[in-house]
């Protein structure tokens, strides 16, 4: 289990404790940088987001957590993903 500190740690604990949290029920423990991406996405919600960084840093997990949390919270009914071939 990865632990985050400060504001990210507080957000992670809040999401883990929340009964209806998509993060809590996702079956993964997000790394601190993945949690930071999730937090930024929800601070700017409902704007679109581009997830791009180095290979192997967990973009799939970041996107999955964002989509799952948005659907669980009732903020999204459908999701459109645009990905390169």
């Amino acid at each position: 289990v990865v632990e985050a500190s400060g504001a990210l740690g507080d957000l992670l604990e809040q999401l883990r404790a929340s009964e209806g949290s998509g993060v809590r029920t996702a079956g993964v423990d997000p790394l601190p940088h993945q949690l930071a991406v999730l937090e930024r996405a929800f601070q700017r919600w409902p704007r679109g987001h581009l997830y791009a960084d180095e290979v192997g840093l967990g973009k799939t997990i970041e996107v999955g957590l964002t989509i799952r949390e948005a659907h669980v919270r009732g903020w999204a009914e459908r999701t459109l993903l645009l990905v390169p071939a």
Side-chain angles (χ1 to χ4, degrees), residues 35-62:
L35 193 61
V37 169
L38 181 66
E39 181 182 37
R40 277 194 308 270
F42 286 130
Q43 285 176 346
R44 299 176 182 145
W45 195 263
R47 295 172 57 197
H49 301 280
L50 173 65
Y51 292 81
D53 57 25
E54 298 296 321
V55 173
L57 292 180
K59 289 177 292 298
T60 303
I61 291 174
E62 294 167 357

Side-chain angles (χ1 to χ4, degrees), residues 22-81:
V23 172
R24 180 175 178 254
T25 60
V28 297
D29 282 323
L31 297 173
H33 72 276
Q34 295 166 335
L35 193 61
V37 169
L38 181 66
E39 181 182 37
R40 277 194 308 270
F42 286 130
Q43 285 176 346
R44 299 176 182 145
W45 195 263
R47 295 172 57 197
H49 301 280
L50 173 65
Y51 292 81
D53 57 25
E54 298 296 321
V55 173
L57 292 180
K59 289 177 292 298
T60 303
I61 291 174
E62 294 167 357
V63 171
L65 288 173
T66 303
I67 292 169
R68 183 175 182 85
E69 192 68 32
H71 282 265
V72 167
R73 290 182 184 201
W75 292 358
E77 292 180 14
R78 296 179 289 166
T79 305
L80 173 65
L81 298 176

